[in-house]
């Protein structure tokens, strides 16, 4: 075979996994749902006007659906493709099976290229699910050829870029979970951070416009953004309908050319390093925590380490470092850029609120920024928390510590509680930016200290749910990568991703029924729940006036917080029961010395 024997083995073994069938089914259902929303919107408009749908309106409906499809396809690529491709090399290293590939007659190029092509084929099968659905629109006059070609050009180049980057990161990652977190951090820096910084430099720094350094920064950001498929797709769609002409394919072709060049560079580096990196790491032995990319934070945290005490599992998870994620230098650089951006935007928003007279409107701008910041950063921390919890059980199995853990006299509740609290403790540094923003808000309005109480209750409820969800999948999964991917996907959908579908249903419903549906739909949305207490300053003038909108938001907030608290308790009970059943242990701790030796026989009645 032209692609080599690795391609055939990977394609057969990976494509048989159930989760990839489930992902394709979910993707098809989302597309059918968007199709239903487009049709419902058009028919409701026809009922209001009392006229049948014309051929032109049906054609516009087909075009509108395809634009929605293009965005869903691109977001699906950015969310799903890294998880599919990032375990190519890291999983082999984690299982210690990569040595079997090295002692064979296969070259580095055959190993890397075979695995990369297999993942590209798997992602292509995921995207081809939409092809039969698109054929339905031939009955409505079809889809414009320029839209079709432009959308699939952007999607194809993005798949190639994301897959190549994931494979390259996988070569330098000792564990699959570390590789996945590094890839998503890198994608956030490449695709989201430049957009935020460009808007900031164009709006916030308009007073120093024309300075050489600002022009250099803006030109650099624009060069990076020109490779961003999200920005290119938005510009292409906007220009297509603003001018009423065809696609301007020049930025698309330029982006695709750069994507191809970067992808070939990543594959070349991965081919050159796949054998050197693993053999070099094996010859040096296991890395110590001091050599990790986050050694500074670990050194600070190790400055205080309590005694073992009566809670050994909590001590192990918090201080032994067995389940820590090794971000590496790539994760350290990207994480530092994200943190500096958060602090910089927070300080700028605070200074801007002090630049005017301390009026209600000037403070209101900072409070609005505060709500968005807490919702976004808090959601990212919850995803990190759930990912860490998802690897807490599977890593015990992968490192052959599972049986040793079960041989201890610790009960299932003590083991699981230690892992939950250890996951909470691992997120301590992520709270610093939020605490900094809260202190600045309290300086503007001391009443913010009162709003901190409901925020803490909501944060505990949402964090408990995220940790329980991670433990649930960690108990049921065979690998850390599978557990982390399942946990993150479920948390994103349950914690707010469902709003992409609910907004369409609410828009079709409209009226008072739409407002009631919005009240219910907002309740599980984690960014909204985390940001609502932080928006205290936006609502203080409406509290005394009895604004209906404010009280609807309060009801949604209370329902969501209480709901996540109840869901966390139910998941906890289920996880403890499953742990005891999977481990084959009896409930409770054996009482040594309380009775004679016959009573110490485990599992007999």
């Amino acid at each position: 075979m032209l692609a080599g024997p690795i391609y055939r083995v990977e394609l057969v073994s990976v494509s048989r996994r159930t989760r990839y069938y489930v992902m394709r089914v979910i993707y098809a259902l989302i597309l059918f749902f968007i199709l239903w929303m487009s049709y419902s919107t058009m028919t409701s408009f026809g009922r209001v006007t009392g006229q049948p749908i014309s051929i032109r309106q049906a054609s516009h409906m087909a075009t509108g659906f395809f634009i929605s499809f293009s965005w869903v396809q691109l977001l699906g690529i950015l969310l799903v493709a890294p998880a599919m491709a990032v375990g190519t090399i890291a999983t082999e290293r984690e299982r210690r099976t990569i040595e079997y590939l090295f002692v064979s007659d296969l070259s580095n190029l055959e190993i890397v290229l075979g695995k990369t092509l297999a993942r590209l084929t798997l992602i292509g099968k995921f995207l081809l699910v939409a092809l039969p659905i698109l054929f339905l629109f031939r009955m409505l006059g079809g889809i414009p050829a320029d839209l079709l070609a432009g959308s699939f050009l952007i999607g194809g180049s993005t798949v190639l870029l994301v897959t190549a980057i994931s494979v390259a990161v996988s070569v330098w990652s000792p564990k699959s979970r570390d590789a996945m977190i590094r890839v998503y951090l890198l994608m956030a820096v490449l695709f989201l951070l430049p957009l935020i910084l460009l808007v900031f430099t164009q709006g916030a720094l308009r007073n120093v416009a024309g300075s050489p350094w600002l022009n250099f920064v803006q030109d650099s950001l624009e060069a990076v953004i020109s490779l961003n498929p999200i920005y290119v797709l938005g510009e292409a769609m906007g220009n297509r309908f603003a001018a009423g002409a065809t696609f301007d394919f020049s930025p698309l072709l330029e982006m695709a050319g750069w994507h191809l060049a970067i992808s070939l560079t990543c594959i070349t580096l991965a081919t050159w390093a796949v054998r050197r990196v693993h053999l070099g790491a094996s010859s040096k032995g296991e890395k110590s925590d001091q050599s990790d990319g986050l050694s500074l934070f670990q050194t600070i945290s190790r400055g205080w380490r309590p005694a073992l005490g009566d809670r050994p599992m909590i001590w192990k998870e918090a201080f032994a470092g067995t389940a820590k994620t090794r971000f590496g230098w790539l994760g350290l650089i990207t994480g530092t850029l994200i943190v500096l951006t958060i602090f910089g935007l927070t300080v700028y928003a605070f200074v801007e609120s002090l630049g005017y007279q301390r009026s209600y409107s000037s403070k209101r701008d900072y409070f609005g920024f505060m709500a968005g910041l807490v919702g976004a950063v808090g959601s990212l921390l919850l995803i990190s928390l759930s990912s860490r919890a998802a690897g807490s059980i599977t890593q015990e199995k992968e490192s052959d510590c599972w049986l040793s853990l079960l041989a201890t006299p610790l009960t299932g509740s003590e083991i699981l509680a230690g892992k939950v609290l250890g996951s909470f403790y691992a997120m301590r540094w992520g709270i610093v930016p939020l605490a900094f923003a809260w202190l600045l808000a309290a300086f503007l309005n001391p009443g913010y200290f009162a709003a901190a109480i409901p925020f803490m209750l909501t944060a505990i409820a949402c964090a408990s749910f995220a940790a329980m969800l991670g433990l649930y999948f960690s108990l049921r999964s065979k690998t850390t990568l599978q557990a982390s991917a399942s946990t993150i996907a479920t948390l994103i959908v349950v914690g707010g991703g469902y709003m992409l579908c609910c907004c369409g249903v609410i828009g079709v419903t409209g009226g008072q029924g739409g407002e009631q549906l919005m009240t219910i739909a907002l309740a599980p949305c984690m960014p909204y729940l985390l940001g609502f207490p932080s928006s205290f300053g936006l609502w203080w003038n409406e509290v005394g006036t009895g604004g209906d909108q404010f009280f609807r938001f309060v009801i949604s907030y209370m329902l969501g917080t209480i709901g996540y608290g109840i869901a966390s308790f139910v998941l906890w009970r289920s996880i403890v029961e499953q742990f005891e059943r999977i481990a084959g242990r009896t409930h409770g701790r054996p009482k040594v010395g309380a009775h004679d030796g016959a009573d110490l026989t485990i599992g007999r009645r």
Side-chain angles (χ1 to χ4, degrees):
M1 181 176 288
L2 181 62
I6 293 292
Y7 175 77
R8 181 180 179 86
V9 174
E10 284 283 317
L11 195 61
V12 173
S13 61
V14 174
S15 61
R16 290 177 176 176
R17 295 172 183 171
T18 305
R19 59 180 177 270
Y20 296 126
Y21 289 99
V22 175
M23 290 171 58
R24 290 196 286 268
V25 171
I26 294 175
Y27 181 55
L29 291 177
I30 292 175
L31 295 180
F32 275 119
F33 183 80
I34 295 175
L35 176 60
W36 172 79
M37 285 196 304
S38 301
Y39 180 77
S40 299
T41 303
M42 185 61 67
T43 54
S44 61
F45 176 77
R47 287 194 300 267
V48 172
T49 58
Q51 297 178 356
I53 300 176
S54 64
I55 297 177
R56 182 182 296 272
Q57 290 174 337
S59 177
H60 284 316
M61 184 187 74
T63 304
F65 167 77
F66 185 76
I67 293 174
S68 301
F69 158 77
S70 300
W71 283 108
V72 171
Q73 176 180 258
L74 182 59
L75 294 177
I77 291 171
L78 296 176
L79 292 176
V80 173
M84 287 185 175
V86 79
T88 50
I89 306 298
T91 302
E92 299 283 354
R93 292 184 61 186
E94 195 170 6
R95 296 176 179 176
R96 305 292 299 182
T97 56
I98 196 171
E99 288 88 352
Y100 297 106
L101 298 177
F102 290 158
V103 299
S104 64
D105 295 334
L106 298 172
S107 63
N108 291 354
L109 181 61
E110 289 176 315
I111 294 174
V112 174
L113 191 60
K115 286 182 171 292
T116 303
L117 292 178
R119 301 298 168 144
L120 284 174
T121 305
L122 183 64
I123 299 171
K125 292 167 61 178
F126 172 78
L127 298 179
L128 287 177
V129 171
L131 196 58
I133 302 175
L134 293 179
F135 283 154
L136 295 175
F137 286 89
R138 291 182 60 87
M139 297 182 295
L140 299 177
I143 299 170
D146 55 348
L147 288 178
L148 192 65
S151 175
F152 278 94
L153 178 61
I154 294 174
S157 64
T158 305
V159 166
L160 181 61
L161 176 67
V162 172
T163 303
I165 292 176
S166 300
V167 172
V169 172
S170 182
V171 169
W172 273 274
S173 301
K175 295 181 180 180
S176 55
R177 186 183 68 168
D178 299 346
M180 183 171 65
I181 294 178
R182 292 176 185 180
V183 168
Y184 282 113
L185 282 175
L186 182 59
M187 289 176 58
V189 171
L190 290 177
F191 297 147
L192 296 181
L193 197 60
L195 291 173
I196 297 174
L197 292 178
L198 183 61
V199 173
F200 175 73
T201 55
Q202 291 178 346
L205 303 181
R206 58 185 179 274
N207 296 328
V208 292
S211 61
W213 67 270
L214 182 60
N215 292 334
F216 173 76
V217 171
Q218 290 182 348
D219 292 341
S220 302
L221 290 174
E222 289 176 356
V224 175
I225 290 174
S226 65
L227 308 180
N228 190 337
I230 300 175
Y231 176 81
V232 172
L233 179 62
E235 285 292 311
M237 294 293 182
N239 294 335
R240 165 68 163 77
F241 290 97
T246 58
F247 256 161
D248 182 9
F249 277 91
S250 56
L252 274 67
L253 294 175
E254 181 182 357
M255 182 198 70
W258 278 105
H259 283 186
L260 179 60
I262 296 173
S263 301
L264 292 177
T265 303
C266 291
I267 296 300
T268 302
L269 289 175
T271 302
W272 172 81
V274 62
R275 199 179 299 260
R276 291 176 173 83
V277 170
H278 179 73
L279 296 181
S282 299
S283 62
K284 295 178 183 179
E286 190 70 22
K287 281 187 177 181
S288 63
D289 287 339
Q290 284 79 4
S291 64
D292 188 76
L294 294 182
S295 57
L296 176 62
F297 295 113
Q298 291 176 352
T299 301
I300 295 175
S301 64
R302 286 189 173 192
W304 175 79
R305 179 179 290 187
L308 184 62
D310 297 331
R311 297 291 184 269
M313 199 64 202
I314 299 177
W315 188 93
K316 169 185 175 294
E317 291 293 323
F319 302 102
T322 55
K324 291 184 181 296
T325 300
R326 297 181 183 273
F327 291 95
W329 290 109
L330 177 63
L332 178 61
I333 294 173
T334 55
T336 302
L337 290 175
I338 294 173
V339 171
L340 290 178
T341 302
I342 293 174
F343 274 103
L345 294 178
T346 303
V347 172
Y348 172 79
F350 177 74
V351 172
E352 281 291 303
S353 66
L354 296 179
Y356 306 98
Q357 295 180 354
R358 291 194 177 183
S359 61
Y360 168 73
S361 59
S362 64
K363 296 178 182 179
R364 185 184 181 93
D365 294 336
Y366 180 79
F367 297 145
F369 167 81
M370 175 76 178
L373 176 71
V374 173
V377 176
S379 299
L380 293 178
L381 288 178
L382 291 179
I383 293 175
S384 302
L385 172 66
S386 64
S387 176
R388 203 266 187 188
S392 57
I393 300 295
T394 53
Q395 283 195 350
E396 299 282 359
K397 300 176 183 178
E398 292 168 350
S399 58
D400 294 332
C401 300
W402 177 246
L403 295 179
S404 301
L405 182 63
L406 296 182
T408 64
L410 297 174
T411 63
S413 299
E414 291 172 330
I415 293 174
L416 294 175
K419 293 189 174 296
V420 170
L421 295 178
S423 298
F424 286 169
Y425 184 78
M427 299 295 110
R428 63 194 182 279
W429 295 109
I431 303 176
V432 175
L434 299 182
F436 177 71
W438 270 89
L439 289 177
L440 295 182
F443 178 81
L444 294 176
N445 182 11
Y448 246 81
F449 287 111
I453 298 176
F455 170 75
M456 292 178 62
L457 294 177
T458 303
I460 292 173
C462 294
S464 299
F465 177 80
M468 301 305 171
L469 190 66
L471 281 178
Y472 175 81
F473 283 106
S474 188
L475 279 172
R476 301 176 65 90
S477 303
K478 296 181 180 180
T479 63
T480 301
L481 180 61
Q482 178 183 353
S484 299
S486 302
T487 301
I488 293 175
T490 305
L491 186 65
I492 290 176
V493 173
V494 175
Y498 67 92
M499 289 297 294
L500 295 176
C501 299
C502 289
C503 289
V505 176
I506 294 171
V508 172
T509 304
Q512 186 175 2
E515 295 178 355
Q516 295 175 354
L517 287 176
M518 180 60 74
T519 302
I520 300 174
L522 279 175
C525 185
M526 287 185 174
Y528 163 73
L529 295 178
L530 294 173
F532 182 77
S534 305
S535 63
F536 166 76
L538 298 176
W539 298 105
W540 71 47
N541 281 2
E542 293 194 24
V543 174
T545 61
D548 293 337
Q549 186 179 11
F550 169 73
F551 287 107
R552 283 200 303 270
F553 286 144
V554 169
I555 292 173
S556 298
Y557 168 74
M558 295 178 63
L559 288 176
T561 302
I562 296 173
Y564 277 119
I566 296 174
S568 301
F569 177 75
V570 173
L571 273 176
W572 170 255
R573 296 294 299 269
S574 175
I575 290 167
V576 172
E577 182 178 352
Q578 288 187 35
F579 180 87
E580 300 290 356
R581 177 177 54 82
I582 294 173
R585 304 175 60 184
T586 57
H587 294 277
R589 185 197 303 266
K591 298 180 180 179
V592 180
H595 302 284
D596 56 14
D599 291 334
L600 297 179
T601 303
I602 304 299
R604 295 183 181 178
R605 300 294 183 186

